Amino acid sequence: MKKIILLLFLAPLLFTSCQYFENLVPSEKELLQKELKAINWKEVDEFPSVANCDTIEDKTLRRHCFFEYMTQLIQQKLSVDTLSILYPELDTIDVKVTIFPNSTLQFEPKFPKDSVVYDAIKIDSILKARLVGFPKINPAIKRGIPVKTQFILPVILKVE
């Protein structure tokens, strides 16, 4: 008789206890939303890189190496003649660089909004003609996936 009473007493606990465990496990959607909110989409895990900088272990130094390399290469390609002849007063140009996940590059000149002195279309066509033949650039990485990045490099055209 004691066993039956004890069993009747414990039976409701056994049947209702499973509900407590169900509520403790969040759904896939909740986990996904929580994870997406935790990710900082404005920063990448690894910056773009070139072979010359890949051997550097420190992330900050590797990033600095990459930006120095890109700036010097763009300066070298643009210093040939065309821009300095067309615009002798132009000593520095900001170039918006876009690196796509498939390692392709896109360059776009950036001017102050109030600047009407320069022909942006002509300068853009010069950039497209001169800024070709770059070595392979490894795209930035976010959570193990190549991603598109954009940055603006100040390129000095006149070195005196």
Side-chain angles (χ1 to χ4, degrees), residues 138-150:
N138 301 316
I141 303 292
K142 182 68 175 180
R143 305 198 119 218
I145 300 170
V147 293
K148 172 181 152 183
T149 50
Q150 293 181 323

Side-chain angles (χ1 to χ4, degrees), residues 44-106:
V44 294
D45 299 334
E46 291 181 36
F47 277 88
S49 186
V50 290
N52 294 1
C53 303
D54 280 344
T55 57
I56 301 172
E57 293 295 322
D58 184 59
K59 284 185 177 187
T60 306
L61 292 176
R62 186 180 324 149
R63 179 178 141 202
H64 180 71
C65 173
F66 171 73
F67 285 117
E68 273 299 310
Y69 178 83
M70 287 295 292
T71 302
Q72 288 176 0
L73 196 55
I74 292 171
Q75 282 174 316
Q76 180 184 14
K77 289 179 177 278
L78 292 180
S79 68
V80 176
D81 60 1
T82 315
L83 283 175
S84 57
I85 293 172
L86 287 173
Y87 303 103
E89 71 284 352
L90 187 64
D91 63 346
T92 303
I93 184 171
D94 287 337
V95 178
K96 180 179 172 184
V97 180
T98 304
I99 302 174
F100 295 95
N102 64 357
S103 297
T104 57
L105 300 170
Q106 180 180 340

Side-chain angles (χ1 to χ4, degrees), residues 104-124:
T104 57
L105 300 170
Q106 180 180 340
F107 301 97
E108 180 184 339
K110 289 304 214 182
F111 300 105
K113 293 190 189 271
D114 59 347
S115 175
V116 291
V117 177
Y118 308 110
D119 184 357
I121 295 171
K122 187 178 281 187
I123 293 176
D124 188 44

